[in-house]
Structure formats: structure tokens, C-alpha cells
Amino acid sequence: MADTDKSATLTIDGASYDLPILSPTAGPDVLDIRKLYGQAGVFTYDPGFTSTASCESTITFIDGVKGELLHRGYPIDQLAGKSHYLEVCFLLLYGNLPTAAELEKFEDTVTRHTMLHEQMYNFFRGFRRDAHPMAIMTGVVGAMSAFYHDSTDITDPHQREVASIRLIAKMPTIAAMAYKYSIGQPFVYPRNDLDYSSNFLNMCFSVPAEDYVVNPILARAMDRIFTLHADHEQNASTSTVRLASSSGANPFACIAAGIACLWGPAHGGANQACLEMLKEIGSVDRIPEFIARAKDKNDPFRLMGFGHRVYKNFDPRATVMKQSADEVLELLGVENNPILAVAKELEQQALADPYFAEKKLFPNVDFYSGVILEAMGFPTSMFTPIFALSRTVGWISQWKEQLGDPGMKIGRPRQLYNGESLRDYSDIENR
Ligand code: CMC
């Protein structure tokens, strides 16, 4: 971020205030209002942060008009096509692509932290059998601060690093255990001879009674899903992590807060909601009925997997995800999947409809991810946990960046108060 020679002048009741204009390396200029209240005694009002930059960051950049997503400058389609998840994790965490030696060391370190503290297995058993895996993940990740005391001191760079690795390494184990618990199967321990995504598939789908060999094509597809969800700048869950962290909360508590926020259907919960919607539509002839409902102001129904706060063009992740859906379903021999057929036709009809065109509503990452995950054998309840485990590295990278920012302050928004003015308490018999 650089100061520019430019400034904006705000005039209130004849008094003028100069607001510096900051110039980022990419994206629109930013009005610096940090001193506004001190100088002018006014707040700004921006519910949903539609015009407010809440922090300075060097990790991820989105150009919503072009439909571009860059991690540390690299486009997501190149990363999804040529890289793999743990390399992208390194990139997000440390700023550059690793050398071969750095990558080997990083992968080895992550791999050696995949096991959970044995007592945590008891913790899982306290949940009701029908608990949603996101509920279990929120609880268990929060509980990590009770098990890993030696990595909760956020002022110690070594502890911050250990906590980061632990979270990235253990999240697949936690998500897989939440799944196994929900279906009444025994937990499967991580295997260090498998890569990150193969290990996750093995923990989800193998059982002690028989051999299970991970299909490398599915492992690659899984890895790509992880990569596509790795980070997305200041979205709701990441902002939640940053806000929680700004008070000095420990990393496990912060990431648990992020998981809780991600669960909502407007955010990470949309992949589950989208597949449920596609199933409810069921056949292409019912699509017009659902498009009409999405357009009806009196109907709360929205086309799940469509629209985005930042993208006013194709979500570049959706483009890769759609290709991936075609590949995976063909390889699994289910290219005539009726849900995929509904998804493709729904996309066509919505894109051709003036309502969606005028509001710039395009498919987002969640539109096709559920189709792939279901074909791989995951129940819908596991879609958002998979998003959460993928996004953990993004949350951690943003958390680390914030803690390293000398200008960091506790997050404390102001408000536009419209309640009662000062009034005197009245005794109960006088009301
Ligand atoms: N179906 C029908 N209409 C929509 C949709 C949709 N999916 N999304 C937005 N609109 C309409 C909305 O009704 C509004 O119309 P009007 O201006 O007439 O009131 C207009 O488009 C703008 O919508 P908004 O809610 O003000 O936009 P937002 O930026 O606050 O919301 C969103 C973005 C993603 C929450 C919203 O598009 C949505 O609810 N989409 C469905 C849920 C979904 O797929 N979420 C996943 C997002 S991508 C993954 C992630 O980041 O978690």
C-alpha cells in the first residue's frame, strides 16, 4: 500500500477534512478514514462491509469484474492445474512457491502432525450420533486449545508456527473422524505413507475389515477441491477469524470461530444447500419453476451456488470445478448423472435469463463441488467440513499476517444507534 498525492475532501457543515487516498498494488484506491472520527466526530455506515477494507493484506487478490483470483499473484487456474494443495499451503503461508527441498520438508512436517491426541477420541464420543459434522468440528477444533497448550502463546513465533502446522495437519483427521462417528464406523488413524488427500480419503472410506486402495484419480480430484477452496481474502469466515484473533484469542479458538461462520448457507454451507436444491429440482423440466421462484421477491428461495458478493462475472473456481466434475464423473463411469444434467441445464437457463444477467449472478465455487463430492461417495453433510478443512490454511495465513501487522488493533466496529434516548428507570408498579 502506498500513499498517493491524491486525497478526497469531505465537507460537513462548512468544515472540510482531507482524506488521504491509498493506492494498493491491485484493486481500487482506498480512502483512508482512520482519523475521521477524531477529526470530524462522525462515523461511516457500511453494513456488510460492502465498501470497507478492514485490513491490509498481501495474500489473496480478487478482481470480481474480471473474474480473477490470485494467491500471492498466481492465478487459481494455474495453481489448480499445475500445483497441489500442500504446495499452495506453503505459498499462502510463506509468500512464495517452495523449492523442492522446502516442499519436501514442509510436507514431511505436516505429515508428522496428522495424529490427534489420543484423549480427543473420547471427546468425539460425547456427541450425539446424529450430530452434524460441522457441529463436531466447531467443538473439537475449539477443544484443541485444551490439548495443545504448548502452541497457544500467540506472542511466540515458534508456537504460532507449530499451531499453524497442527491445524493444517489435523483438520483432515478431525473431519474424517466426525464423518466416521456420524455413520457408526470405527475411526481410522492417519497414514503417513499417503499424501494429504489420499490420507483423507482413506480415513473417510476405509474400514478395518477389508483393504481399501485409494483411487489416484479421486485423490487428485480431492486435492483440486482443497486447492480451489484454500483462501478467498476477506470473506465472512476469514473476517471472523481476524476479528476473534484481534482480541488476542488463541489460534484454535479463532479457527473454531471461522468454522462456525463458514457453516451458514450463504457461505460455506451453500455447497450442501446447492446439492440438496439440485436433488429437489430432480429433473430438467422442473428448472423453470425454480428459476421463477428465485426471481420472485415474495419467495425467500435463492438459487444456491449462484451469486457472489465480489464476483460480478464467472467465479474462476467454478470454471475449474465444472471441468473437474466432467472428468471425475466420466472416470467413475457416471457421466450420465441426472444431478449433473440438472446442474448444467440450470446454469444455462439462469445465464440466459435477464434477471441473473442484470444482477450479474453467475455460478460460484459451490455450484459444481457438491456434484463431484457426491460422486466420490461423500454425504451432503460432509461438503461443508471439506470446505472448512481446505480453508484452514487461508484462515491461518490471514491470522499469521494479522499478528505480524504492527498496526493491528482490536476489531471494534461502531454503530448507527437508533434505539431509545436516555430515560429514567421506572419501578415495576408504575409501568
Ligand atoms: N438467487 C436469486 N437471487 C439472488 C441470488 C441468488 N442466488 N443471489 C443474489 N440474488 C439477488 C438478490 O435477491 C438481490 O436482488 P435485489 O437487488 O433485487 O434485492 C441481488 O441479487 C443482490 O443480492 P445480495 O444478497 O444483496 O448480494 P450479496 O452480495 O449480499 O450476497 C450471496 C451474495 C453469495 C450471499 C448471494 O448471492 C447468495 O445468497 N447466493 C446463494 C448462496 C451461495 O451460493 N453462497 C455461496 C457463495 S460462494 C462460496 C463462499 O464464499 O462461501
Side-chain angles (χ1 to χ4, degrees):
M1 174 180 71
D3 289 343
T4 62
D5 294 337
K6 293 188 281 179
S7 67
T9 305
L10 176 71
T11 306
I12 305 172
D13 294 336
S16 291
Y17 307 93
D18 271 348
L19 303 175
I21 296 182
L22 308 174
S23 188
T25 49
D29 283 350
V30 174
L31 272 182
D32 181 351
I33 58 162
R34 278 175 290 184
K35 297 193 176 141
L36 183 63
Y37 176 61
Q39 291 174 346
V42 294
F43 298 149
T44 55
Y45 180 56
D46 184 20
F49 302 104
T50 54
S51 300
T52 297
S54 61
C55 63
E56 192 179 344
S57 183
T58 61
I59 302 172
T60 292
F61 173 73
I62 302 172
D63 184 327
V65 178
K66 276 203 247 166
E68 183 179 72
L69 167 62
L70 310 178
H71 292 319
R72 304 284 191 186
Y74 297 101
I76 189 65
D77 54 324
Q78 289 185 25
L79 294 173
K82 298 183 182 179
S83 182
H84 64 275
Y85 182 67
L86 282 186
E87 188 178 60
V88 172
C89 288
F90 187 100
L91 175 69
L92 290 168
L93 284 168
Y94 307 114
N96 284 304
L97 288 169
T99 62
E102 285 170 336
L103 182 60
E104 191 184 338
K105 183 163 177 270
F106 179 69
E107 289 185 334
D108 187 62
T109 311
V110 170
T111 304
R112 282 173 199 292
H113 278 86
T114 49
M115 278 175 56
L116 282 187
H117 192 292
E118 192 63 20
Q119 269 177 270
M120 288 192 85
Y121 286 72
N122 302 329
F123 199 82
F124 275 81
R125 294 194 171 92
F127 285 94
R128 267 172 62 138
R129 184 66 73 191
D130 58 357
H132 194 287
M134 282 299 278
I136 299 181
M137 280 182 86
T138 313
V140 171
V141 172
M144 283 175 79
S145 46
F147 287 87
Y148 300 103
H149 299 284
D150 58 346
S151 52
T152 52
D153 179 359
I154 58 165
T155 64
D156 177 346
H158 175 69
Q159 294 204 25
R160 293 208 293 259
E161 181 65 16
V162 174
S164 306
I165 297 291
R166 277 185 171 145
L167 278 157
I168 293 165
K170 294 184 200 307
M171 204 62 91
T173 314
I174 293 171
M177 285 171 69
Y179 172 52
K180 285 297 200 190
Y181 184 73
S182 72
I183 56 171
Q185 286 187 3
F187 298 134
V188 175
Y189 283 93
R191 268 181 45 191
N192 287 359
D193 60 321
L194 296 176
D195 62 67
Y196 193 84
S197 44
S198 301
N199 178 47
F200 177 62
L201 291 173
N202 186 64
M203 288 189 292
C204 287
F205 297 125
S206 71
V207 287
E210 59 187 43
D211 287 339
Y212 172 80
V213 179
V214 180
N215 180 333
I217 293 155
L218 294 189
R220 176 72 191 121
M222 190 77 258
D223 190 88
R224 194 175 281 171
I225 288 175
F226 292 162
T227 301
L228 290 174
H229 289 91
D231 191 43
H232 214 226
E233 52 118 310
Q234 309 313 320
N235 54 82
S237 57
T238 302
S239 300
T240 301
V241 170
R242 279 185 178 262
L243 194 57
S245 150
S246 76
S247 73
N250 77 66
F252 306 110
C254 296
I255 302 304
I259 296 173
C261 176
L262 186 78
W263 196 1
H267 192 7
N271 50 15
Q272 172 169 352
C274 181
L275 196 86
E276 284 164 2
M277 174 194 77
L278 294 172
K279 284 183 171 169
E280 193 190 344
I281 297 174
S283 62
V284 291
D285 54 301
R286 294 193 64 208
I287 290 172
E289 177 196 327
F290 282 81
I291 288 191
R293 283 187 60 197
K295 289 160 45 176
D296 182 354
K297 282 264 158 268
N298 300 317
D299 188 330
F301 174 77
R302 282 188 169 198
L303 224 46
M304 301 313 287
F306 252 78
H308 199 275
R309 167 63 60 78
V310 182
Y311 293 118
K312 301 302 164 199
N313 199 327
F314 266 88
D315 177 341
R317 302 168 300 172
T319 313
V320 181
M321 202 66 92
K322 186 178 178 182
Q323 285 164 6
S324 222
D326 281 332
E327 284 165 22
V328 170
L329 269 62
E330 190 186 335
L331 289 163
L332 290 173
V334 283
E335 62 269 46
N336 295 326
N337 180 300
I339 300 298
L340 182 64
V342 171
K344 285 187 170 175
E345 183 58 27
L346 177 60
E347 178 187 344
Q348 289 311 314
Q349 291 193 23
L351 291 176
D353 191 299
Y355 172 93
F356 293 90
E358 278 157 22
K359 294 186 189 300
K360 298 189 169 50
L361 300 170
F362 292 88
N364 60 48
V365 68
D366 292 320
F367 195 68
Y368 283 104
S369 62
V371 178
I372 309 180
L373 290 171
E374 187 179 67
M376 290 170 85
F378 288 104
T380 49
S381 61
M382 276 303 285
F383 295 0
T384 316
I386 288 169
F387 192 158
L389 93 79
S390 320
R391 182 56 57 82
T392 297
V393 68
W395 292 328
I396 291 285
S397 305
Q398 304 265 352
W399 167 80
K400 278 179 76 176
E401 181 178 68
Q402 174 171 283
L403 289 178
D405 179 352
M408 194 204 57
K409 287 180 184 312
I410 187 168
R412 189 9 177 133
R414 301 295 194 154
Q415 64 173 3
L416 173 60
Y417 177 71
N418 270 324
E420 298 288 345
S421 305
L422 177 69
R423 51 180 170 167
D424 286 325
Y425 179 85
S426 57
D427 293 330
I428 197 160
E429 58 274 15
N430 299 329
R431 288 177 216 158

